[in-house]
Amino acid sequence: QSVLTQPPSVSGAPGQRVIISCTGSSSDIGAGLQVHWYQQLPGTAPKVLIYGDTYRPSGVPERFSASRSATSASLAISGLQAEDEADYYCQSSDSALKTVVFGTGTRLTVL
Amino acid sequence: LQLQESGPGVVRPSETLSLTCNVSAGPMSHSNYYWAWIRQSPGKGLEWIGSLYYDGASRYNPSLQSRVTISVDTFKNEISLKLTSVTAADTAVYFCARGTVGHCSIVGCSNWFDPWGQGTRVTVSP
């Protein structure tokens, strides 16, 4: 079971832009399987932030955007706000095992 | 659509953990959707437990496969999780979620989870 690798933590001041990376392998992101991103506010369930690599569900601010490359993906948050302080997870699928894989998670701190 | 997990807060080691997830509305069976359980150990990240698909097929995390069963009761609008022979390592918050099947290619289908239940905390303790 593969795991997607994320930095344990990132931080930024209000108004700044931060980027969270998600590194996979040839069996998941590298196989062409899409990446999805979740935001987990303290004490709550995760909420989908980005699906299908780049799509935002209705209600998610345009400040959140995502991109992908060969075996990795990135989530960008611009105009950082205090309410963005949360844990962020990427998620994809494993093409060989036909299973779901989550990223290791990144804690965003707004300074 | 809302999901609500329920179950015992404490389970003894070596026993079977049984959880249910009530689905508030909508059909339980749709080709674009499926049901999943995901857990989060204290202070840790998310771990996919398994999924039950529209056609009745199921897939489980290889690390849990020998101990886990996910089933659905469409009459009760419930999804169930059974995890046998639990140990302290199974202490976690357990979430149920609806999975959406997205883009499919020769290597497989992409899928994401939305919505999620609020989660139910399970402690394995004597």
PDB file of all heavy atoms in Angstrom, chain A residues 21-40:
ATOM      1  N   SER A  21       2.925  20.385  -1.126  1.00  0.00           N
ATOM      2  CA  SER A  21       3.238  19.386  -2.135  1.00  0.00           C
ATOM      3  C   SER A  21       2.746  18.003  -1.728  1.00  0.00           C
ATOM      4  O   SER A  21       2.540  17.722  -0.541  1.00  0.00           O
ATOM      5  CB  SER A  21       4.745  19.344  -2.378  1.00  0.00           C
ATOM      6  OG  SER A  21       5.401  18.946  -1.175  1.00  0.00           O
ATOM      7  N   CYS A  22       2.585  17.161  -2.725  1.00  0.00           N
ATOM      8  CA  CYS A  22       2.111  15.789  -2.530  1.00  0.00           C
ATOM      9  C   CYS A  22       2.866  14.928  -3.535  1.00  0.00           C
ATOM     10  O   CYS A  22       2.638  15.042  -4.745  1.00  0.00           O
ATOM     11  CB  CYS A  22       0.612  15.727  -2.764  1.00  0.00           C
ATOM     12  SG  CYS A  22      -0.130  14.071  -2.780  1.00  0.00           S
ATOM     13  N   THR A  23       3.764  14.091  -3.041  1.00  0.00           N
ATOM     14  CA  THR A  23       4.620  13.305  -3.925  1.00  0.00           C
ATOM     15  C   THR A  23       4.182  11.852  -3.924  1.00  0.00           C
ATOM     16  O   THR A  23       4.091  11.224  -2.868  1.00  0.00           O
ATOM     17  CB  THR A  23       6.086  13.410  -3.486  1.00  0.00           C
ATOM     18  OG1 THR A  23       6.476  14.785  -3.493  1.00  0.00           O
ATOM     19  CG2 THR A  23       6.984  12.628  -4.438  1.00  0.00           C
ATOM     20  N   GLY A  24       3.937  11.337  -5.116  1.00  0.00           N
ATOM     21  CA  GLY A  24       3.504   9.956  -5.259  1.00  0.00           C
ATOM     22  C   GLY A  24       4.525   9.121  -5.990  1.00  0.00           C
ATOM     23  O   GLY A  24       5.735   9.356  -5.889  1.00  0.00           O
ATOM     24  N   SER A  25       4.027   8.143  -6.729  1.00  0.00           N
ATOM     25  CA  SER A  25       4.901   7.221  -7.444  1.00  0.00           C
ATOM     26  C   SER A  25       4.261   6.826  -8.777  1.00  0.00           C
ATOM     27  O   SER A  25       3.185   7.304  -9.124  1.00  0.00           O
ATOM     28  CB  SER A  25       5.131   5.976  -6.586  1.00  0.00           C
ATOM     29  OG  SER A  25       3.915   5.241  -6.471  1.00  0.00           O
ATOM     30  N   SER A  26       4.940   5.942  -9.471  1.00  0.00           N
ATOM     31  CA  SER A  26       4.459   5.509 -10.777  1.00  0.00           C
ATOM     32  C   SER A  26       3.188   4.662 -10.684  1.00  0.00           C
ATOM     33  O   SER A  26       2.534   4.425 -11.705  1.00  0.00           O
ATOM     34  CB  SER A  26       5.548   4.711 -11.491  1.00  0.00           C
ATOM     35  OG  SER A  26       5.917   3.597 -10.702  1.00  0.00           O
ATOM     36  N   SER A  27       2.839   4.216  -9.480  1.00  0.00           N
ATOM     37  CA  SER A  27       1.646   3.384  -9.346  1.00  0.00           C
ATOM     38  C   SER A  27       0.410   4.194  -8.959  1.00  0.00           C
ATOM     39  O   SER A  27      -0.700   3.655  -8.980  1.00  0.00           O
ATOM     40  CB  SER A  27       1.868   2.289  -8.295  1.00  0.00           C
ATOM     41  OG  SER A  27       2.052   2.857  -7.013  1.00  0.00           O
ATOM     42  N   ASP A  28       0.573   5.453  -8.638  1.00  0.00           N
ATOM     43  CA  ASP A  28      -0.595   6.260  -8.285  1.00  0.00           C
ATOM     44  C   ASP A  28      -0.656   7.520  -9.145  1.00  0.00           C
ATOM     45  O   ASP A  28      -1.171   7.486 -10.257  1.00  0.00           O
ATOM     46  CB  ASP A  28      -0.624   6.572  -6.785  1.00  0.00           C
ATOM     47  CG  ASP A  28       0.745   6.863  -6.180  1.00  0.00           C
ATOM     48  OD1 ASP A  28       1.327   7.881  -6.577  1.00  0.00           O
ATOM     49  OD2 ASP A  28       1.217   6.085  -5.358  1.00  0.00           O
ATOM     50  N   ILE A  29      -0.109   8.623  -8.655  1.00  0.00           N
ATOM     51  CA  ILE A  29      -0.169   9.863  -9.442  1.00  0.00           C
ATOM     52  C   ILE A  29       0.512   9.670 -10.789  1.00  0.00           C
ATOM     53  O   ILE A  29       0.019  10.107 -11.835  1.00  0.00           O
ATOM     54  CB  ILE A  29       0.461  11.031  -8.668  1.00  0.00           C
ATOM     55  CG1 ILE A  29      -0.258  11.257  -7.337  1.00  0.00           C
ATOM     56  CG2 ILE A  29       0.401  12.312  -9.511  1.00  0.00           C
ATOM     57  CD1 ILE A  29       0.376  12.323  -6.454  1.00  0.00           C
ATOM     58  N   GLY A  30       1.655   9.014 -10.758  1.00  0.00           N
ATOM     59  CA  GLY A  30       2.419   8.786 -11.985  1.00  0.00           C
ATOM     60  C   GLY A  30       1.710   7.901 -12.995  1.00  0.00           C
ATOM     61  O   GLY A  30       2.044   7.914 -14.183  1.00  0.00           O
ATOM     62  N   ALA A  31       0.734   7.140 -12.553  1.00  0.00           N
ATOM     63  CA  ALA A  31      -0.046   6.287 -13.452  1.00  0.00           C
ATOM     64  C   ALA A  31      -1.180   7.061 -14.108  1.00  0.00           C
ATOM     65  O   ALA A  31      -1.924   6.498 -14.916  1.00  0.00           O
ATOM     66  CB  ALA A  31      -0.596   5.096 -12.681  1.00  0.00           C
ATOM     67  N   GLY A  32      -1.317   8.315 -13.741  1.00  0.00           N
ATOM     68  CA  GLY A  32      -2.358   9.141 -14.342  1.00  0.00           C
ATOM     69  C   GLY A  32      -3.607   9.257 -13.506  1.00  0.00           C
ATOM     70  O   GLY A  32      -4.583   9.888 -13.922  1.00  0.00           O
ATOM     71  N   LEU A  33      -3.594   8.631 -12.339  1.00  0.00           N
ATOM     72  CA  LEU A  33      -4.775   8.721 -11.483  1.00  0.00           C
ATOM     73  C   LEU A  33      -4.843  10.103 -10.846  1.00  0.00           C
ATOM     74  O   LEU A  33      -3.829  10.684 -10.456  1.00  0.00           O
ATOM     75  CB  LEU A  33      -4.737   7.618 -10.437  1.00  0.00           C
ATOM     76  CG  LEU A  33      -4.997   6.244 -11.070  1.00  0.00           C
ATOM     77  CD1 LEU A  33      -4.426   5.132 -10.235  1.00  0.00           C
ATOM     78  CD2 LEU A  33      -6.488   6.034 -11.299  1.00  0.00           C
ATOM     79  N   GLN A  34      -6.069  10.601 -10.742  1.00  0.00           N
ATOM     80  CA  GLN A  34      -6.264  11.974 -10.295  1.00  0.00           C
ATOM     81  C   GLN A  34      -5.979  12.144  -8.804  1.00  0.00           C
ATOM     82  O   GLN A  34      -5.987  11.191  -8.030  1.00  0.00           O
ATOM     83  CB  GLN A  34      -7.690  12.419 -10.609  1.00  0.00           C
ATOM     84  CG  GLN A  34      -7.954  12.526 -12.105  1.00  0.00           C
ATOM     85  CD  GLN A  34      -9.375  12.919 -12.416  1.00  0.00           C
ATOM     86  OE1 GLN A  34     -10.301  12.560 -11.692  1.00  0.00           O
ATOM     87  NE2 GLN A  34      -9.563  13.655 -13.507  1.00  0.00           N
ATOM     88  N   VAL A  35      -5.726  13.401  -8.432  1.00  0.00           N
ATOM     89  CA  VAL A  35      -5.427  13.756  -7.048  1.00  0.00           C
ATOM     90  C   VAL A  35      -6.555  14.623  -6.502  1.00  0.00           C
ATOM     91  O   VAL A  35      -7.099  15.482  -7.218  1.00  0.00           O
ATOM     92  CB  VAL A  35      -4.089  14.513  -6.958  1.00  0.00           C
ATOM     93  CG1 VAL A  35      -3.777  14.866  -5.495  1.00  0.00           C
ATOM     94  CG2 VAL A  35      -2.971  13.679  -7.562  1.00  0.00           C
ATOM     95  N   HIS A  36      -6.894  14.395  -5.266  1.00  0.00           N
ATOM     96  CA  HIS A  36      -7.937  15.154  -4.593  1.00  0.00           C
ATOM     97  C   HIS A  36      -7.373  15.688  -3.279  1.00  0.00           C
ATOM     98  O   HIS A  36      -6.458  15.073  -2.706  1.00  0.00           O
ATOM     99  CB  HIS A  36      -9.160  14.264  -4.339  1.00  0.00           C
ATOM    100  CG  HIS A  36      -9.432  13.315  -5.468  1.00  0.00           C
ATOM    101  ND1 HIS A  36      -9.957  13.713  -6.678  1.00  0.00           N
ATOM    102  CD2 HIS A  36      -9.192  11.979  -5.578  1.00  0.00           C
ATOM    103  CE1 HIS A  36     -10.051  12.663  -7.486  1.00  0.00           C
ATOM    104  NE2 HIS A  36      -9.591  11.596  -6.851  1.00  0.00           N
ATOM    105  N   TRP A  37      -7.903  16.794  -2.830  1.00  0.00           N
ATOM    106  CA  TRP A  37      -7.390  17.440  -1.621  1.00  0.00           C
ATOM    107  C   TRP A  37      -8.518  17.653  -0.609  1.00  0.00           C
ATOM    108  O   TRP A  37      -9.636  18.001  -0.976  1.00  0.00           O
ATOM    109  CB  TRP A  37      -6.772  18.786  -1.972  1.00  0.00           C
ATOM    110  CG  TRP A  37      -5.518  18.691  -2.778  1.00  0.00           C
ATOM    111  CD1 TRP A  37      -5.399  18.653  -4.144  1.00  0.00           C
ATOM    112  CD2 TRP A  37      -4.178  18.631  -2.263  1.00  0.00           C
ATOM    113  NE1 TRP A  37      -4.083  18.566  -4.499  1.00  0.00           N
ATOM    114  CE2 TRP A  37      -3.312  18.551  -3.379  1.00  0.00           C
ATOM    115  CE3 TRP A  37      -3.637  18.639  -0.977  1.00  0.00           C
ATOM    116  CZ2 TRP A  37      -1.923  18.487  -3.231  1.00  0.00           C
ATOM    117  CZ3 TRP A  37      -2.255  18.576  -0.832  1.00  0.00           C
ATOM    118  CH2 TRP A  37      -1.418  18.495  -1.952  1.00  0.00           C
ATOM    119  N   TYR A  38      -8.172  17.469   0.668  1.00  0.00           N
ATOM    120  CA  TYR A  38      -9.135  17.634   1.754  1.00  0.00           C
ATOM    121  C   TYR A  38      -8.582  18.612   2.783  1.00  0.00           C
ATOM    122  O   TYR A  38      -7.373  18.659   3.030  1.00  0.00           O
ATOM    123  CB  TYR A  38      -9.423  16.296   2.440  1.00  0.00           C
ATOM    124  CG  TYR A  38      -9.983  15.253   1.508  1.00  0.00           C
ATOM    125  CD1 TYR A  38      -9.129  14.425   0.788  1.00  0.00           C
ATOM    126  CD2 TYR A  38     -11.348  15.108   1.319  1.00  0.00           C
ATOM    127  CE1 TYR A  38      -9.625  13.477  -0.095  1.00  0.00           C
ATOM    128  CE2 TYR A  38     -11.860  14.156   0.443  1.00  0.00           C
ATOM    129  CZ  TYR A  38     -10.986  13.352  -0.256  1.00  0.00           C
ATOM    130  OH  TYR A  38     -11.490  12.410  -1.129  1.00  0.00           O
ATOM    131  N   GLN A  39      -9.487  19.340   3.390  1.00  0.00           N
ATOM    132  CA  GLN A  39      -9.161  20.219   4.502  1.00  0.00           C
ATOM    133  C   GLN A  39      -9.830  19.660   5.756  1.00  0.00           C
ATOM    134  O   GLN A  39     -11.024  19.351   5.737  1.00  0.00           O
ATOM    135  CB  GLN A  39      -9.686  21.633   4.231  1.00  0.00           C
ATOM    136  CG  GLN A  39      -9.448  22.611   5.368  1.00  0.00           C
ATOM    137  CD  GLN A  39     -10.242  23.906   5.166  1.00  0.00           C
ATOM    138  OE1 GLN A  39     -11.466  23.902   5.068  1.00  0.00           O
ATOM    139  NE2 GLN A  39      -9.534  25.026   5.100  1.00  0.00           N
ATOM    140  N   GLN A  40      -9.057  19.513   6.822  1.00  0.00           N
ATOM    141  CA  GLN A  40      -9.618  19.049   8.084  1.00  0.00           C
ATOM    142  C   GLN A  40      -9.379  20.109   9.155  1.00  0.00           C
ATOM    143  O   GLN A  40      -8.259  20.254   9.652  1.00  0.00           O
ATOM    144  CB  GLN A  40      -9.019  17.706   8.506  1.00  0.00           C
ATOM    145  CG  GLN A  40      -9.679  17.135   9.745  1.00  0.00           C
ATOM    146  CD  GLN A  40      -9.150  15.765  10.136  1.00  0.00           C
ATOM    147  OE1 GLN A  40      -7.998  15.434   9.893  1.00  0.00           O
ATOM    148  NE2 GLN A  40     -10.015  14.935  10.740  1.00  0.00           N
TER     149      GLN A  40
END
